[in-house]
Structures are given as C-alpha cells and as structure tokens.
Amino acid sequence: ITIPVTALAIPNAGPDKIFCLGQNAVQLQAMGGIQYSWSPTTGLSNPNIANPMAFPATTTNYVVSVGVAGCSRTRKDTVRVTARPKPALDVTNDTTICIVDPLQLQALGNGQVSWWPATSLSSTTSPTPIASPDSFIVYHVRLTASIGCFSEDSLSVQVKRKTVIDAGADTAICKPEG
C-alpha cells in the first residue's frame, strides 16, 4: 500500500512592519502554504490571501494560519505591524508681503524638510528658508521623520506691489498780502 504523505506547511509571515497612520498601507507577505487566513481581520484588505494590505488603527500583531491542500491541520506565524503617527509639523501662517520684502518661512518639527516649488526660495531643504516671490505663490512643505512617516502642509504668500502716488506737478502759490 502506498500512502501519500503531505508535509505540513511551514509558515512565514515575513518581517515586522512599520505603518504610518493616515498614509499608505503596508503589504503583508506570508509564505509556506496554499491556504492563508489572517487574524485579526480588522485593518486588512482581505484576510484570506497571502499578501493582504494592512492599515491598522493601532499597533497590531497579525497571525497567519497557513495550510496545504488535503490537510486539515494548519500552522501559524505572527507579524507585528507597528503603527506610528505622522510627525508634528508647524508651518508659517498664510501671509501678505510687499514685493521688496523677503519673508522667512518656518517649518518646525523633527525630521527632514522639503519645500516646493523652489521658486524664489533660498533653500528647499532648510526648515527656515527665505522666500522672495514677486507674485502670489503657494509653498508646500513635507516633514519626513527618520522612520519614513511624513506630514505635509502649505502656506500662501500674497505679494503686494508698491503703490505709486502721484500728487501732480509742483505748483507755486502766492501768499495773500494783508
């Protein structure tokens, strides 16, 4: 008698992941079987595939049960998805300047700063660049934390032209006698 023996699945839920709240989901990647079932199902695009997208509201340990065809027994592995908040970002308020006045912009927070567009900016990577626009512009800024999470904001700069005042030609008047 020949008895076929099916090897048990050897599950691998993959490496732990970091998820930035409010940003793109992370993709989980299980291997080692044919049938997959993830739990908890909260924050997963599809709990019955090997590679669901995960977007948990908090740090979550996802457990994958992996099986092979013809076996009722499954094995499990766990992957931790650590939820991280966006970095705090405080940016200069919308403002109005005169065309001859430079404006120091400011992006406060912990991480790398990137400004765009580069138009009339002294630096696109400084947290405090000098802006000297000659017309209305909206500057955008991204603050990226060391773990890759980022925050974005923008500010508008209205530019006023110098007002030209013309009082007319010089005129002489006579002082009344008396």
Side-chain angles (χ1 to χ4, degrees):
I1 296 176
T2 303
I3 300 174
V5 177
T6 303
L8 287 177
I10 301 173
N12 181 351
D16 291 346
K17 307 273 186 175
I18 294 177
F19 170 67
C20 300
L21 294 169
Q23 293 169 7
N24 294 335
V26 294
Q27 188 163 31
L28 304 182
Q29 185 63 53
M31 295 181 285
I34 296 173
Q35 301 155 336
Y36 300 92
S37 177
W38 292 89
S39 66
T41 59
T42 305
L44 291 180
S45 61
N46 183 341
N48 298 310
I49 60 175
N51 58 346
M53 299 302 288
F55 41 91
T58 61
T59 297
T60 303
N61 288 322
Y62 287 105
V63 178
V64 63
S65 297
V66 177
V68 293
C71 288
S72 59
R73 205 163 158 210
T74 61
R75 295 177 115 183
K76 298 178 181 184
D77 194 20
T78 301
V79 61
R80 181 178 184 86
V81 178
T82 303
R84 297 282 190 208
K86 293 180 182 182
L89 172 62
D90 185 23
V91 177
T92 306
N93 292 329
D94 293 348
T95 192
T96 300
I97 63 170
C98 290
I99 195 164
V100 295
D101 296 334
L103 172 67
Q104 185 169 28
L105 305 180
Q106 188 171 43
L108 298 176
N110 291 323
Q112 281 190 306
V113 174
S114 178
W115 294 92
W116 73 95
T119 307
S120 304
L121 284 179
S122 62
S123 171
T124 58
T125 57
S126 169
T128 56
I130 303 296
S132 301
D134 59 6
S135 62
F136 175 83
I137 191 166
V138 176
Y139 288 111
H140 302 272
V141 63
R142 175 182 279 196
L143 177 69
T144 304
S146 60
I147 59 169
C149 296
F150 64 89
S151 292
E152 291 182 344
D153 204 346
S154 63
L155 67 111
S156 62
V157 180
Q158 181 70 38
V159 179
K160 298 289 184 181
R161 301 258 177 221
K162 286 176 70 175
T163 304
V164 177
I165 300 174
D166 185 0
D170 289 348
T171 306
I173 59 171
C174 296
K175 185 175 178 183
E177 294 182 30

